[in-house]
Amino acid sequence: MGLLSDPVRRRALARLVLRLNAPLCVLSYVAGIAWFLALVFPPLTQRTYMSENAMGSTMVEEQFAGGDRARAFARDFAAHRKKSGALPVAWLERTMRSVGLEVYTQSFSRKLPFPDETHERYMVSGTNVYGILRAPRAASTESLVLTVPCGSDSTNSQAVGLLLALAAHFRGQIYWAKDIIFLVTEHDLLGTEAWLEAYHDVNVTGMQSSPLQGRAGAIQAAVALELSSDVVTSLDVAVEGLNGQLPNLDLLNLFQTFCQKGACCARFRLQPQDWTSLDGPLQGLQTLLLMVLRQASGRPHGSHGLFLRYRVEALTLRGINSFRQYKYDLVAVGKALEGMFRKLNHLLERLHQSFFLYLLPALSRFVSIGLYMPAAGFLLLVLGLKISSLHEAEVGLEEPGGVGFQGLTAGGMVVVFGDPLAPGPISKSLCALQGVGLASLVAPLLISQAMGLALYVLPVLGQHVATQHFPVAEAEAVVLTLLAIYAAGLALPHNTHRPLSCRVVSTQAPDRGWMALKLVALIYLALQLGCIALTNFSLGFLLATTMVPAAALAKPHGPRTLYAALLVLTSPAATLLGSLFLWRELQEAPLSLAEGWQLFLAALAQGVLEHHTYGALLFPLLSLGLYPCWLLFWNVLFWK
């Protein structure tokens, strides 16, 4: 503390940081990347463990043996669905009542902001069917949910059959202390969102739905099930929810524990390897990168992702049927689900003792928030160092004698002003300089934010105008408007800088204009990336990895073409495009340039659609926050 409280030592430290600014920035950036790569190695990665005492033991006897019944239910469901061409609501009601459930339905409708070409829908209407198994040993104050999403193009008949068979089996047990809701939703996530909004009596997405006639207790946990075959070779678990939310780690540990007990192969992204050799950490890094990319997208990767918004711990289980020797039937999957629900039935309070913020290099290993946040901290330190450097160059240091005011320009030249507190022409010049300097920042700040607002508002509002004047569909009009506004931001004359005059002993005093603008842009970027990293580390780290170097190097001097190319390659749109190529490369399905561009256009449309449909925040974050901030650095680069 003496180093910071002593003015002489503080000035010496400031001069040292200013002198070694470039090496410190490079060292900090390299340290952030190296720290992230080291997360797959012990002791940064740890073995998972159960923190909740009520779920610490798996000493329950799973008795589910309804595999044949589940297959029969699945065949009947598929036949009735093929016959009706939609969700067989009447058959589901009749079947659920036959196994002893209280059955209710909910109708919903939603007009999308523009047609969803991926699922070929615009005006969506459907019906959800759910049955409630009342707890015989407690009041209806708490509940668990087993849900199966049924989309128009999904083959999830086996999951519906297993849900009905489990409902029949659970109905014959007397140990349930929580209500169990068996939910079948239509139109995938749209049906799930409609049911959740009605259950919690809120409307956050503009969904039109009928009120629920039957309710259970407060939902403690939920499991979404997706099966495409009667047999599976492994169960893949999805944990990433809306806006990067994750379920409590104990729920994931519970799933892994019962899969191990039943000798059912569970996996997370890739197959686990031996961590004692080098191949294990390398594949752990690949799995970690896949999770980072999925979490950074902000998309709900399964129906469970919408439950997390309502503080309901949930995950999605997907049955994988690949060409492997060992296969498991519906009985093995049913026993794993029965064990999970029996242990969740023991909970006396919500899951809270384990981690909510973590990364997974493997299903059996995790990295806690305290161990992965330094990676983002080192990257943000680069911005802090540049802010400190520009602050010293812009404001200067006060001399201990205290009459004069001394500032350092970017080139190291000394600018001497009079005492700003003393009356006279020097103080008036300094005040005028500061006033004009602040005024020169207003135009680029306002225009950059206006471009971000236009990027957020105009694509959806102007789609009908675009379709009337150009031969494009609504979804294409939205994407093309996005690209047009994004590119137009690069050509607008943001800079309204005027020559400033004051009594200075340097010809580099006009540098104060772009230095002040870059100082504001760096602070703006650091605040955004810091807040993003706290809520969605994956998104914050990816953006910091790409945007920090270009932001630190941006200046109107030197190789401007090289700096401009670096800024364009690290823009938010280029980061999204590069992430798509990296995602497919990690999945060992590389893309060609044409395929990557088409996938990029589809990702833009889906990002806008998911924001207006489910409330995903990635699109407004990029358009209203990071894109205007990036334009400020573009303005710094071409400062006149």
Side-chain angles (χ1 to χ4, degrees):
M1 292 301 295
L3 181 62
L4 297 178
S5 60
D6 187 359
V8 177
R9 295 181 179 180
R10 187 170 63 247
R11 282 194 299 274
L13 179 62
R15 290 193 181 96
L16 180 63
V17 171
L18 187 62
R19 187 180 305 111
L20 302 178
N21 190 265
L24 289 176
C25 288
V26 173
L27 181 62
S28 181
Y29 185 82
V30 173
I33 301 299
W35 189 284
F36 178 80
L37 297 178
L39 291 178
V40 297
F41 295 95
L44 295 181
T45 178
Q46 309 171 38
R47 289 189 175 275
T48 57
Y49 57 90
M50 194 72 70
S51 300
E52 183 63 51
N53 294 329
M55 300 193 306
S57 173
T58 58
M59 295 180 62
V60 294
E61 182 181 356
E62 298 85 12
Q63 299 175 347
F64 178 75
D68 294 335
R69 192 174 188 181
R71 284 186 287 270
F73 281 138
R75 287 193 297 269
D76 292 344
F77 175 80
H80 283 83
R81 184 176 183 180
K82 183 178 181 181
K83 182 179 179 180
S84 62
L87 188 70
V89 176
W91 180 86
L92 281 172
E93 288 185 273
R94 185 170 60 252
T95 306
M96 285 185 176
R97 285 195 179 96
S98 68
V99 299
L101 302 180
E102 297 180 15
V103 185
Y104 305 94
T105 61
Q106 179 210 20
S107 59
F108 65 92
S109 62
R110 180 72 160 90
K111 181 181 178 181
L112 301 180
F114 57 90
D116 183 3
E117 295 185 349
T118 304
H119 299 91
E120 297 181 353
R121 58 190 183 187
Y122 182 41
M123 296 291 296
V124 180
S125 60
T127 304
N128 297 324
V129 183
Y130 65 102
I132 302 176
L133 174 60
R134 299 294 180 181
R137 302 186 62 179
S140 297
T141 57
E142 296 178 346
S143 63
L144 305 172
V145 175
L146 177 61
T147 178
V148 173
C150 293
S152 57
D153 55 350
S154 63
T155 57
N156 216 11
S157 302
Q158 288 76 15
V160 175
L162 183 57
L163 177 142
L164 295 172
L166 283 172
H169 174 68
F170 289 177
R171 182 67 179 83
Q173 311 303 320
I174 62 172
Y175 44 69
W176 298 112
K178 293 178 173 60
D179 295 344
I180 301 180
I181 303 174
F182 298 90
L183 172 64
V184 180
T185 61
E186 194 173 6
H187 297 296
D188 294 327
L189 299 182
L190 285 174
T192 304
E193 180 62 29
W195 188 84
L196 284 171
E197 289 187 0
Y199 194 90
H200 294 90
D201 196 19
V202 296
N203 192 334
V204 295
T205 62
M207 186 79 66
Q208 297 179 356
S209 61
S210 61
L212 299 184
Q213 300 300 319
R215 298 175 183 269
I219 303 176
Q220 304 296 301
V223 177
L225 184 62
E226 299 179 11
L227 298 175
S228 59
S229 176
D230 293 339
V231 294
V232 298
T233 54
S234 61
L235 283 175
D236 192 7
V237 57
V239 296
E240 300 88 0
L242 184 67
N243 298 321
Q245 287 183 278
L246 299 173
N248 189 272
L249 188 58
D250 270 345
L251 186 62
L252 188 65
N253 297 336
L254 183 66
F255 161 72
Q256 180 200 4
T257 301
F258 276 99
C259 285
Q260 290 178 345
K261 179 182 178 181
C264 186
C265 180
R267 73 177 197 174
F268 180 74
R269 307 288 175 265
L270 302 173
Q271 289 296 322
Q273 295 288 341
D274 181 16
W275 285 76
T276 59
S277 63
L278 185 60
D279 292 337
L282 289 179
Q283 193 155 26
L285 178 61
Q286 187 176 354
T287 303
L288 182 65
L289 287 174
L290 286 172
M291 179 182 179
V292 165
L293 292 174
R294 287 173 67 112
Q295 187 183 15
S297 69
R299 301 181 58 190
H301 292 275
S303 297
H304 77 283
L306 300 178
F307 282 85
L308 297 174
R309 171 194 285 172
Y310 300 92
R311 188 59 180 85
V312 177
E313 309 308 320
L315 49 80
T316 294
L317 306 182
R318 294 189 176 96
I320 307 298
N321 186 13
S322 58
F323 299 98
R324 292 196 180 96
Q325 181 179 0
Y326 300 102
K327 295 182 181 292
Y328 310 94
D329 59 3
L330 295 180
V331 175
V333 180
K335 285 186 175 181
L337 289 171
E338 180 189 3
M340 291 180 64
F341 273 79
R342 288 191 63 177
K343 296 304 293 185
L344 291 171
N345 183 60
H346 295 166
L347 286 177
L348 300 177
E349 52 188 342
R350 292 182 182 271
L351 291 172
H352 67 282
Q353 294 193 17
S354 190
F355 295 92
F356 289 94
L357 301 171
Y358 52 86
L359 295 176
L360 296 173
L363 187 59
S364 60
R365 292 179 177 271
F366 77 102
V367 182
S368 66
I369 180 175
L371 296 177
Y372 66 67
M373 280 304 291
F378 279 118
L379 297 182
L380 295 180
L381 181 59
V382 177
L383 300 180
L385 291 172
K386 296 304 293 185
I387 290 171
S388 175
S389 173
L390 285 174
H391 179 267
E392 295 297 333
E394 182 71 18
V395 178
L397 300 172
E398 294 183 6
E399 292 297 327
V403 182
F405 182 84
Q406 173 177 300
L408 296 177
T409 65
M413 300 295 292
V414 177
V415 185
V416 181
F417 303 97
D419 184 4
L421 299 180
I426 297 180
S427 61
K428 294 179 180 179
S429 300
L430 179 58
C431 293
L433 173 64
Q434 293 174 342
V436 175
L438 292 176
S440 65
L441 303 182
V442 173
L445 288 173
L446 290 181
I447 295 178
S448 297
Q449 288 299 137
M451 289 301 301
L453 185 62
L455 189 67
Y456 175 73
V457 174
L458 292 184
V460 176
L461 291 182
Q463 57 176 309
H464 301 296
V465 178
T467 54
Q468 291 175 0
H469 294 81
F470 300 97
V472 293
E474 287 86 349
E476 295 176 342
V478 171
V479 174
L480 293 178
T481 305
L482 275 175
L483 296 177
I485 297 175
Y486 194 93
L490 307 182
L492 288 179
H494 304 300
N495 187 7
T496 58
H497 171 69
R498 294 177 297 175
L500 305 178
S501 60
C502 67
R503 199 181 73 182
V504 296
V505 193
S506 173
T507 59
Q508 296 187 3
D511 287 347
R512 292 176 61 89
W514 71 262
M515 290 168 62
L517 181 60
K518 183 175 181 179
L519 180 62
V520 172
L522 286 173
I523 295 175
Y524 189 19
L525 180 62
L527 289 175
Q528 289 190 83
L529 294 181
C531 295
I532 294 172
L534 289 176
T535 56
N536 187 343
F537 167 81
S538 300
L539 179 59
F541 181 79
L542 282 179
L543 292 173
T545 302
T546 55
M547 296 186 69
V548 164
L553 292 174
K555 59 181 179 180
H557 309 300
R560 182 176 294 183
T561 303
L562 178 62
Y563 292 157
L566 182 61
L567 264 178
V568 171
L569 292 177
T570 57
S571 64
T575 301
L576 173 60
L577 180 61
S579 298
L580 293 175
F581 279 98
L582 178 60
W583 166 258
R584 294 298 294 270
E585 189 69 30
L586 292 173
Q587 288 187 318
E588 299 179 355
L591 295 169
S592 63
L593 291 178
E595 292 173 342
W597 180 252
Q598 292 299 322
L599 189 60
F600 171 70
L601 297 180
L604 290 178
Q606 285 298 312
V608 179
L609 190 63
E610 287 170 358
H611 167 62
H612 291 279
T613 306
Y614 308 119
L617 298 178
L618 181 61
F619 171 59
L621 180 66
L622 295 181
S623 58
L624 297 176
L626 290 170
Y627 176 65
C629 184
W630 181 83
L631 285 180
L632 293 179
F633 291 106
W634 186 262
N635 187 43
V636 169
L637 183 63
F638 292 98
W639 186 271
K640 297 178 182 179

